[in-house]
């Protein structure tokens, strides 16, 4: 029988689940069992749980036949727990290293109490960490106590996951979670009031993730009315136990504080429902008022947000009045804080006027159901996934009118004949963005573009992610220098569909961009030509002999040097070492195309015919089709090139520095698409010996393709047009081969 049973309910948290499970299973204390409950999650949670169970006997997975909600999912796991103590861990939170050892040591020290309360810290999506504000409550010296002896213990957040519970105590009392939003309330109060022996642990054992979106209690909904039913359950529990009658005044005030806290939060209740919520709270408050209670007594309101607006009026005084009085008092209490916010209000007012102007423009005429606006590579013309979707739409649905947004007249002049376009920020651009039904982009639309209700934004991205992106950059200050992550996320809030080529990308995008969008398993449209074997005139244009072996070298930029460019290898030497019958083609990262990198040697080598500089080629697919082998370091081009099933070599001589500065979602040196070189000598030897295309290289490439080219079947562009633009049905792309069971993304915390 294990010492600890950790029950983890899971629903739509695939981007965080591995981190949660790893935080438990990699603890230094091993005498545990994990009961993971798949609450009929529609994403990949169930598969992730099965993967962990297959490789760790301590993990048991329950797949529920229907979604039952957080509380009842915990209930489902309870009968399977065999440990001395129970812990409930939410599947987007994590244990800190050493937490379980500290918990079990404290349990032993205090003689196995009924409940052990430990500390936690909030971790925010933008990178901040804040410890529990009432941590001092946990620092008392008494070994064990009751809630009556130390009632301040109930001032802590009334949640289930900051405690360890003696399993026999839970079973003897028949504690269960009810359905609803606030299921922790009728569990925690009865448990804490019933416990004869409570102990505390003044140590942060858990990181409570504050998600930008997706947190149930931060979702605007009428479901927050559920708190009333949960407090009815609390009072029913107390009424059934005469020995707990003395707690009624305390619980009465707590109920009022809790409900007013929900009312004061701007993201909880729909505005139209706030008056009703106040009235129902007041009715409940009067119904459960203890005899002899003074309606004007000042309560200790603590840290309850806008409740502080009422000063020493107290909860009783607030709820004895009307909703109109509540609003007046609330507004009056805020006046004193306004002076420090004046500058912010002025800025927001200007932004609001701009938005209203745009919104007014959009409201003049209905959406044009056949107008599609395209943009790629920061408005640089027909490129990447948007270009592939555009071409497919012209063939499949010629009635759709596709218009490209380009940044300037120079880009417009380079567009193919017959391609409609509009210049960014021009009057015509404003008119079209006011009417367009569909928007297709691989970077992001400007912040001034207001998403009109009914419009559909399709975000294609620019490849499978290896390095940290989006919100994950918050923990990498060097990589996000000059990059406004919150502003980027506000733009990403407009996405409706996020295209993915594999499950790895799906996990990363949902984590790196905590926004409301649906992942579309379409494959990458720009890779269709790689799968189907498209044609390219790249060799002819650059006079590369037909019998030459073309080696494409495509390094990425570095975040640990100013400018991002590092010469990792001597290009002239590499071209010479490749020998006769070989042509070295170099394609730098797009961010370096207009910088000094090409001017420090590459342009001169190209002019002399030693290498071919393909950095300025607008279509990377044409370059890849012309190449017989790829040498890269950490560029996402490797994921696209793998569709060609041609040899790939990863040159990783600075992997440690790269990951330290930028971060990576997987260890590409351990899960490479081919051989890995750690020095130039190793790289040259691979080509001199023929090792770059040996059987081991083919085996590694096959494993890599099965995992990262999963949804690329040559019909991605068609799938986007038919399913996302036309609303037709089309089968999902067939999975080639399931990824290797041991493959593991390093979705590490930022």
């Amino acid at each position: 029988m294990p010492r600890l049973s950790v029950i983890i309910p899971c629903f739509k948290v695939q981007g965080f689940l591995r981190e949660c499970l790893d935080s438990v299973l990699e603890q230094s204390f091993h005498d545990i069992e994990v009961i993971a409950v798949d609450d009929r999650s529609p994403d990949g949670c169930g598969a992730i749980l099965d993967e962990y169970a297959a490789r760790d006997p301590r993990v048991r997975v329950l797949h529920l036949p229907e979604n039952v909600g957080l509380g009842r999912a915990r209930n489902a796991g309870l009968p399977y727990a065999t440990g001395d103590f129970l812990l409930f861990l939410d599947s987007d939170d994590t244990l800190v290293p050493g937490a379980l050892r500290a918990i079990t040591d404290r349990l032993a020290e205090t003689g196995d109490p009924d409940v052990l309360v430990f500390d936690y810290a909030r971790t925010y999506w933008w990178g901040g960490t804040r410890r529990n504000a009432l941590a001092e409550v946990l620092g008392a010296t008494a070994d064990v106590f009751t809630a009556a002896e130390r009632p301040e213990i109930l001032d802590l957040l009334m949640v289930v996951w900051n405690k360890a519970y003696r399993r026999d105590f839970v079973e003897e009392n028949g504690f269960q979670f009810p359905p609803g939003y606030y299921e922790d309330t009728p569990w925690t109060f009865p448990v804490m009031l019933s416990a004869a022996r409570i102990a505390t642990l003044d140590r942060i054992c858990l990181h409570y993730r504050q998600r930008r979106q997706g947190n149930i209690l931060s979702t605007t909904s009428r479901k927050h009315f559920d708190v009333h039913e949960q407090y009815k359950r609390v009072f029913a529990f107390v009424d059934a136990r005469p020995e707990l009658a003395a707690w009624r005044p305390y619980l009465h005030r707590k109920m009022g504080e809790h409900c007013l806290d929900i009312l004061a939060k701007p993201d909880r209740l729909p505005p139209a429902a706030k008056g009703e919520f106040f009235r129902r709270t007041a009715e409940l408050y009067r119904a459960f008022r203890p005899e002899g209670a003074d309606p004007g007594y000042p309560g200790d309101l603590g840290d309850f947000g806008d409740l502080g607006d009422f000063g020493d009026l107290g909860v009783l005084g607030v709820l004895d009045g009307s909703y109109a009085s509540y609003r007046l008092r609330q507004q009056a209490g805020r006046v004193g804080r306004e002076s420090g916010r004046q500058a912010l209000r002025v800025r927001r007012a200007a932004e609001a006027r701009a938005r209203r102007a745009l919104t007014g423009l959009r409201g003049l005429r209905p959406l044009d159901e056949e107008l599609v606006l395209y943009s790629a590579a920061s408005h640089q013309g027909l490129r990447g996934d948007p270009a592939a979707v555009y071409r497919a739409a012209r063939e499949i649905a010629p009635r759709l009118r596709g218009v490209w947004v380009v940044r300037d007249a120079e880009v417009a002049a380079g567009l193919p004949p017959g391609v409609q376009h509009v210049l960014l920020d021009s009057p015509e651009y404003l008119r079209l963005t006011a009417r367009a039904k569909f928007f297709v982009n691989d970077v992001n639309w400007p912040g001034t573009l207001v998403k009109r209700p009914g419009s559909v934004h399709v975000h294609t991205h620019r490849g499978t992610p290896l390095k940290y992106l989006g919100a994950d950059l918050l923990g990498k200050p060097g990589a996000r220098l000059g990059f406004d992550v919150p502003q980027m996320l506000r733009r990403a809030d407009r996405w409706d569909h996020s295209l993915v080529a594999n499950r790895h990308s799906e996990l990363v995008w949902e984590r790196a961009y905590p926004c409301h969008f649906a992942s579309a398993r379409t494959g990458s449209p720009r890779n269709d030509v790689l799968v189907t074997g498209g044609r390219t005139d790249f060799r002819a244009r650059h006079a590369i002999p037909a019998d030459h072996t073309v080696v494409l070298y495509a390094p990425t930029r570095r975040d640990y040097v100013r400018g991002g460019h590092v010469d990792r290898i001597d290009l002239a030497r590499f071209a010479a070492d490749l020998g006769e019958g070989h042509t070295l083609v170099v394609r730098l990262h797009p961010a370096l195309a207009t910088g000094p990198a090409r001017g420090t040697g590459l342009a001169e080598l190209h002019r002399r015919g030693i290498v071919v500089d393909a950095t300025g080629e607008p279509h990377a697919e044409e370059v890849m089709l012309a190449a017989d082998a790829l040498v890269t370091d950490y560029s996402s081009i490797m994921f696209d090139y793998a569709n060609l099933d041609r040899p790939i070599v990863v040159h990783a001589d600075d992997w440690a520095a790269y990951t330290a500065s930028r971060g990576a979602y997987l260890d590409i040196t351990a899960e490479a698409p081919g051989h890995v070189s750690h020095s130039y000598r190793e790289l040259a030897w691979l080509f001199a010996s023929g090792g770059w295309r040996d059987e081991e290289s083919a085996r590694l490439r096959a494993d890599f393709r099965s995992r990262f080219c999963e949804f690329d079947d040559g019909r991605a562009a068609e799938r986007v047009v038919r399913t996302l633009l036309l609303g037709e049905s089309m089968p999902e792309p067939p999975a080639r081969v399931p990824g290797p069971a041991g493959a593991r993304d390093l979705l590490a915390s930022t």
Side-chain angles (χ1 to χ4, degrees):
M1 184 170 65
R3 183 62 166 160
L4 301 176
S5 295
V6 185
I7 298 176
I8 307 176
C10 306
F11 183 74
K12 296 180 70 172
V13 288
Q14 62 178 6
F16 305 102
L17 183 53
R18 292 181 186 277
E19 187 179 353
C20 172
L21 294 171
D22 289 343
S23 77
V24 178
L25 299 174
E26 295 176 3
Q27 290 278 316
S28 58
F29 183 81
H30 301 291
D31 187 17
I32 65 172
E33 64 178 1
V34 174
I35 301 167
V37 184
D38 172 17
D39 190 17
R40 195 68 175 176
S41 185
D43 58 7
C45 285
I48 293 172
L49 295 178
D50 289 340
E51 174 193 328
Y52 274 75
R55 68 175 186 238
D56 195 320
R58 297 176 296 171
V59 179
R60 178 169 187 169
V61 181
L62 305 179
H63 294 284
L64 301 186
E66 61 180 356
N67 176 251
V68 297
L70 180 59
R72 287 187 287 182
R74 290 169 178 159
N75 291 341
L78 278 172
Y80 298 92
T82 62
D84 296 331
F85 281 82
L86 305 171
L87 281 83
F88 297 94
L89 180 63
D90 287 354
S91 47
D92 55 353
D93 296 338
T94 56
L95 296 179
V96 302
L100 295 186
R101 173 67 66 184
I103 288 171
T104 52
D105 286 349
R106 181 61 174 163
L107 290 173
E109 182 183 3
T110 54
D112 285 7
D114 295 331
V115 181
L116 174 70
V117 186
F118 49 80
D119 204 8
Y120 66 92
R122 298 173 188 262
T123 58
Y124 295 87
W125 62 270
W126 43 265
T129 299
R130 181 168 66 88
R131 189 175 186 179
N132 163 33
L134 298 177
E136 68 276 4
V137 172
L138 302 173
T141 58
D143 286 340
V144 293
F145 54 89
T146 65
E149 292 168 338
R150 287 185 54 198
E152 65 271 17
I153 196 68
L154 300 180
D155 291 335
L156 295 172
L157 193 62
M158 282 290 102
V159 291
V160 66
W161 40 255
N162 65 343
K163 304 171 183 72
Y165 310 87
R166 187 167 58 83
R167 182 169 60 87
D168 289 344
F169 164 70
V170 171
E171 292 178 350
E172 290 165 2
N173 286 273
F175 294 126
Q176 290 276 302
F177 292 92
Y181 256 30
Y182 291 87
E183 75 291 330
D184 281 11
T185 299
W187 166 282
T188 307
F189 278 120
V191 164
M192 295 298 286
L193 297 182
S194 301
R197 303 177 72 248
I198 301 173
T200 60
L201 173 60
D202 185 16
R203 184 189 193 277
I204 295 175
C205 295
L206 180 140
H207 280 157
Y208 175 30
R209 188 188 301 273
Q210 305 296 288
R211 293 163 63 180
R212 182 173 182 267
Q213 290 182 354
N215 185 302
I216 292 176
L217 293 184
S218 294
T219 302
T220 303
S221 169
R222 285 185 59 89
K223 291 184 179 180
H224 292 282
F225 280 78
D226 171 71
V227 71
H228 299 136
E229 295 302 315
Q230 304 298 7
Y231 272 101
K232 289 179 183 178
R233 291 186 169 100
V234 173
F235 279 100
F237 179 87
V238 172
D239 290 344
R241 291 160 178 78
E243 69 275 12
L244 299 179
W247 285 103
R248 282 184 61 93
Y250 176 87
L251 293 172
H252 183 241
R253 192 184 67 185
K254 276 291 184 181
M255 177 180 66
E257 291 173 347
H258 193 175
C259 292
L260 287 178
D261 180 41
I262 294 170
L263 182 62
K265 291 289 194 300
D267 58 353
R268 301 294 170 88
L269 294 162
K274 289 190 173 184
E276 179 187 354
F277 185 88
F278 179 90
R279 289 187 291 273
R280 289 179 59 177
T281 297
E283 291 171 2
L284 195 67
Y285 205 69
R286 289 190 292 270
F288 287 105
R289 174 176 291 164
E291 293 183 8
D294 178 4
Y297 88 90
D300 180 9
L301 302 181
D303 184 13
F304 281 93
D306 283 342
L307 290 179
D309 293 337
F310 306 113
D312 63 358
L313 180 64
V315 175
L316 288 169
V318 172
L319 290 173
D320 273 338
S322 66
Y323 180 62
S325 298
Y326 163 83
R327 292 289 296 154
L328 288 173
R329 290 166 176 167
Q330 187 184 48
Q331 293 166 7
R334 292 172 179 170
V335 170
R337 299 194 298 270
E338 286 300 310
S339 58
R341 301 175 183 173
Q342 184 63 31
L344 180 62
R345 287 208 308 273
V346 170
R347 179 173 64 84
R348 287 180 174 175
E351 293 173 351
R353 285 194 296 272
R355 287 195 297 270
R356 283 195 297 271
L358 289 170
T359 303
L361 178 63
R362 284 158 172 72
L364 293 176
R365 301 177 63 187
L367 291 176
D368 185 338
E369 298 289 331
E370 297 182 351
L371 176 59
V372 186
L373 289 190
Y374 295 91
S375 181
S378 299
H379 319 298
Q380 295 187 65
L382 271 72
R383 300 189 181 189
D385 291 308
V389 174
Y390 169 76
R391 296 187 184 99
R394 294 188 70 173
E395 293 182 10
I396 298 169
R399 70 178 184 275
L400 294 178
R401 179 192 174 201
V403 179
W404 282 84
V405 178
V406 296
R407 65 184 182 187
D408 52 36
E410 182 180 354
V411 174
L415 294 175
V419 174
Q420 295 187 54
H421 70 276
V422 62
L423 296 184
L424 180 67
D425 291 334
S426 66
E428 181 66 3
Y429 164 81
L430 294 176
R431 188 183 71 82
L432 291 179
T433 55
R435 297 291 315 283
K437 170 72 173 183
F438 301 100
F439 295 77
V440 180
N441 200 345
D442 65 356
V443 181
N444 236 321
W445 296 99
T448 54
L449 192 155
V450 178
K451 188 178 190 299
R452 185 174 175 183
S455 64
V456 177
H457 285 235
V458 178
H459 194 78
T460 69
H461 302 284
R462 301 182 71 182
T464 293
L466 171 60
K467 56 180 174 284
Y468 275 11
L469 295 166
D472 287 329
L473 289 176
L474 290 166
K476 298 292 182 180
R480 65 178 172 88
L481 182 64
F483 184 60
D484 188 342
V485 174
Q487 170 64 14
M488 179 275 299
L489 293 178
R490 286 191 289 272
R491 296 182 181 187
D493 282 333
R494 299 175 297 201
W495 302 351
D496 295 294
H497 303 285
S498 166
L499 306 191
V500 298
N502 47 66
R503 297 170 205 266
H504 163 83
S505 295
E506 183 175 342
L507 289 170
V508 170
W509 298 141
E510 291 183 11
R511 171 200 173 96
Y513 299 98
C515 306
H516 288 299
F517 58 79
S519 294
R521 295 179 174 181
T522 58
S524 294
R526 71 181 183 282
N527 288 342
D528 287 347
V529 296
L530 304 181
V531 176
T532 59
R535 300 177 62 84
T536 176
D537 64 349
F538 178 84
R539 287 189 180 225
R541 286 189 286 108
H542 292 280
I544 300 173
D547 61 345
H548 268 213
T549 297
V550 174
V551 177
L552 170 62
Y553 175 55
T556 192
R557 71 184 304 277
R558 302 307 198 267
D559 294 289
Y560 58 79
V561 294
R562 185 180 297 276
H565 177 67
V566 179
D567 288 317
R568 303 308 308 174
I569 64 175
D570 184 331
L571 296 177
R573 180 182 177 184
F574 188 32
D577 287 344
L578 287 174
E580 292 292 327
H582 292 76
T583 294
L584 178 62
V585 176
V586 180
R587 182 177 176 84
L588 300 180
H589 188 278
L592 304 175
T594 58
R598 299 165 77 184
T600 57
L602 179 57
E604 175 65 11
L605 293 176
H606 175 79
R607 185 187 65 79
R608 293 165 54 193
I610 296 174
V611 303
V612 174
D613 178 13
T615 304
E617 288 284 334
H619 307 297
E621 313 87 80
E622 295 187 9
V623 182
M624 288 187 277
L625 284 166
D628 299 297
L630 170 68
V631 177
T632 186
D633 37 35
Y634 325 118
S635 172
S636 64
I637 196 174
M638 72 178 79
F639 299 95
D640 300 329
Y641 191 82
N643 282 285
L644 291 168
D645 199 16
R646 299 174 187 174
I648 302 173
V649 174
V650 175
H651 185 56
D653 65 336
D654 65 340
W655 176 243
Y658 183 85
T659 54
S661 60
R662 181 58 186 251
Y665 293 113
L666 59 94
D667 184 353
I668 200 62
T669 65
E671 303 177 61
H675 290 295
V676 179
S677 60
H678 299 280
S679 66
Y680 176 76
R681 182 176 180 179
E682 292 180 5
L683 176 64
W685 180 85
L686 281 171
F687 281 89
S689 66
W692 61 282
R693 54 181 176 183
D694 62 12
E695 292 183 1
E696 176 65 7
S697 171
R699 184 192 68 79
L700 293 169
R701 186 168 67 254
D703 289 344
F704 191 86
R705 291 181 69 243
S706 69
R707 184 179 177 199
F708 295 109
C709 303
E710 183 180 5
F711 304 140
D712 282 333
D713 64 349
R715 301 181 67 188
E718 177 190 0
R719 190 170 287 109
V720 172
V721 173
R722 293 194 184 279
T723 62
L724 303 185
L725 303 188
L726 299 179
E728 300 176 358
S729 61
M730 184 174 177
E732 287 193 3
R736 299 184 178 201
V737 179
R744 175 173 173 270
D745 289 346
L746 301 181
L747 294 177
S749 171
T750 58

